[in-house]
Amino acid sequence: MSKIELIATATFGLESVVKREIEKLGYKVIKTEDAKITYLADERGIVRSNLHLRCADRVLLKMAEFKAETSEDLFQQTKAVDWEQWIPADGKFTVNCTTVKSKLRSEPACQKTVKKAIVEKLGEVYMMDHFPETGAEYTVKVTILKDRATLTIDTSGAGLHKRGYRVKNVAAPMKETLAAALVQLSFWKKGRLLLDPFCGSGTIAIEAAMYERNIAPGLGREFASQGWNAISEEMWKEARKKAYEAIDYDADVRILASDIDKKAVAAAQENAEEAGVDDCIEFSVRDFNKLSVPEKYSVIICNPPYGERIGDKEQMKVSYAHMKKLLEADPTLSAYIITADKDIEEAIKPREPDRRRKLYNGRLETCFYQYYGERPPRT
């Protein structure tokens, strides 16, 4: 197999989490930048990355990177790339372009230039004037930043947050990739009780259960690169088989997920069933202000409603007071709260968060407040 460079794109603030996931898969990270991680892999790496990365947005195949100040630069260097290694004669390909702080400012013009260069190159290789475009899809992405062009092919298709288990939605759902990252950024592990008292459609609870049961997030969906000639069908079958065999159905996973909204809880239950983790999550309709934590060393991970999206400020003041009460009553309780509402930190004082982390929930800037409880004794 040939060595290739892949780029995992990520939400701002999650680069370090995605980097750890890539390294856990056994691949060498070359470079970490804002919202993307470049690493070395092979064809099998495309398959494994799409199946197993929980917090990345997409996996891109890096084709080339070069300086391009003129349209001619862009055309000639794009044409020099070995596109035929990946795109067959019947390949259906589209080109998307983004340009920032560059001399080449017109995205439609750059898009047209790259498309023309690829068509000319493939025409020379396959000795064809017309391409049927009846085969698999190849989405070429052109990013020009400060006159430096990066050419990639999207291997994922739909974003990796689309796991396939979300059959019912609620207002302001959290992306599955962000929910998975919150779990990995916490100290929660199997054997400890996890609570999400604002569960909505159940994303945090479901992602936590899938993580601790070692269920690959991409098992329930298809990817753009599954139809590519360069990656055999057998490679996909083998990777999926190994992923299924690695699932730990005996893991001690106990999760309590609740919400005051009956429809949200019903949706969460259906989503958990679709994900195959409903047996380790107990769902209930419950007002957070009446919540009690049933055992020591429990962990709360939650996305409470806040004014910018849903919810009421006055109601949340009452909820913050209850969160403060829970933390004061049990020094072993850990709480991880993602919110755009900065009032929460003042409301929980004198307890200060042990760590704050800036994250983006969609386009909304939020803070992930982390309150560490006492660690359970070693066994």
Side-chain angles (χ1 to χ4, degrees):
M1 290 192 185
S2 56
K3 282 290 181 184
I4 57 176
E5 286 187 33
L6 297 178
I7 297 174
T9 62
T11 301
F12 282 105
L14 297 184
E15 294 89 350
S16 61
V17 182
V18 175
K19 180 185 176 184
R20 284 197 297 271
E21 286 193 297
I22 291 167
E23 290 174 337
K24 190 176 178 181
L25 286 176
Y27 300 118
K28 182 181 178 182
V29 172
I30 302 171
K31 186 165 52 174
T32 302
E33 303 165 90
D34 285 347
K36 68 176 189 177
I37 301 89
T38 305
Y39 58 106
L40 284 175
D42 51 24
E43 290 89 340
R44 186 171 277 108
I46 292 175
V47 178
R48 297 182 67 230
S49 297
N50 278 297
L51 281 176
H52 293 281
L53 291 180
R54 298 178 189 278
C55 305
D57 290 331
R58 292 180 181 278
V59 177
L60 308 176
L61 170 63
K62 184 177 177 182
M63 297 298 294
E65 186 175 353
F66 49 80
K67 189 172 184 179
E69 296 183 336
T70 67
S71 182
E72 185 65 14
D73 288 339
L74 184 61
F75 178 84
Q76 292 298 341
Q77 295 193 77
T78 298
K79 188 178 176 182
V81 176
D82 296 328
W83 297 101
E84 70 278 5
Q85 289 185 0
W86 295 94
I87 304 177
D90 67 344
K92 178 184 179 182
F93 71 94
T94 55
V95 178
N96 296 327
C97 180
T98 303
T99 174
V100 180
K101 297 179 182 178
S102 299
K103 294 181 179 68
L104 291 169
R105 295 179 182 177
S106 172
E107 293 176 353
C110 292
Q111 188 173 312
K112 188 176 180 181
T113 298
V114 170
K115 176 84 173 182
K116 183 181 177 183
I118 297 174
V119 167
E120 282 200 18
K121 177 60 178 282
L122 294 179
E124 291 175 5
V125 172
Y126 296 124
M127 294 182 287
M128 296 170 65
D129 295 323
H130 174 72
F131 294 91
E133 295 196 77
T134 55
E137 292 195 16
Y138 299 80
T139 301
V140 176
K141 294 180 178 288
V142 186
T143 304
I144 307 175
L145 175 62
K146 296 179 180 178
D147 299 325
R148 190 135 198 99
T150 304
L151 306 182
T152 61
I153 304 177
D154 182 7
T155 74
S156 301
L160 293 182
H161 69 282
K162 295 189 176 180
R163 317 287 207 215
Y165 64 71
R166 197 192 286 274
V167 291
K168 285 288 181 69
N169 240 330
V170 297
M174 174 181 285
K175 267 190 175 183
E176 292 84 341
T177 44
L178 177 58
L182 301 186
V183 173
Q184 292 189 43
L185 288 169
S186 77
F187 288 142
W188 177 72
K189 298 292 179 189
K190 53 192 172 187
R192 296 176 73 174
L193 181 66
L194 174 65
L195 300 93
D196 179 4
F198 303 97
C199 73
S201 58
T203 312
I204 292 175
I206 293 168
E207 288 296 323
M210 290 178 67
Y211 178 65
E212 286 300 345
R213 276 197 166 170
N214 200 32
I215 300 174
L219 274 178
R221 55 161 288 176
E222 303 293 315
F223 302 95
S225 48
Q226 277 186 241
W228 293 5
N229 292 354
I231 304 174
S232 69
E233 186 179 342
E234 191 58 37
M235 201 178 290
W236 282 99
K237 286 181 179 178
E238 179 188 340
R240 287 183 184 276
K241 183 173 180 287
K242 286 184 177 179
Y244 276 114
E245 290 172 348
I247 297 173
D248 183 4
Y249 289 105
D250 297 322
D252 179 16
V253 179
R254 293 173 298 117
I255 302 172
L256 301 180
S258 57
D259 200 286
I260 198 169
D261 185 342
K262 290 181 181 180
K263 289 183 179 179
V265 173
Q269 180 74 49
E270 282 194 52
N271 292 338
E273 289 172 6
E274 187 68 22
V277 292
D278 54 304
D279 60 320
C280 56
I281 307 174
E282 182 182 320
F283 291 99
S284 63
V285 178
R286 182 179 298 173
D287 183 347
F288 171 70
N289 301 320
K290 297 177 182 177
L291 177 76
S292 59
V293 180
E295 61 183 70
K296 297 289 186 183
Y297 304 106
S298 296
V299 176
I300 293 175
I301 305 177
C302 65
N303 175 33
Y306 32 95
E308 287 82 351
R309 300 176 76 177
I310 53 178
D312 178 83
K313 283 275 188 181
E314 292 305 312
Q315 287 181 342
M316 287 317 301
K317 285 181 181 179
V318 177
S319 295
Y320 296 157
H322 188 63
M323 181 71 78
K324 177 181 179 180
K325 180 181 175 183
L326 292 175
L327 288 168
E328 287 177 343
D330 183 1
T332 72
L333 176 65
S334 297
Y336 299 84
I337 309 160
I338 184 170
T339 180
D341 188 353
K342 296 178 181 178
D343 292 343
I344 188 172
E345 190 170 350
E346 190 66 33
I348 295 180
K349 281 185 176 180
R351 178 75 181 270
E352 292 283 346
D354 293 278
R355 187 168 182 182
R356 304 170 187 83
R357 191 183 190 110
K358 184 167 75 172
L359 297 174
Y360 283 85
N361 188 359
R363 295 184 178 182
L364 186 65
E365 182 181 319
T366 66
C367 186
F368 190 41
Y369 295 98
Q370 303 173 49
Y371 296 87
Y372 304 154
E374 295 174 6
R375 292 192 176 188
R378 290 180 178 271
T379 56

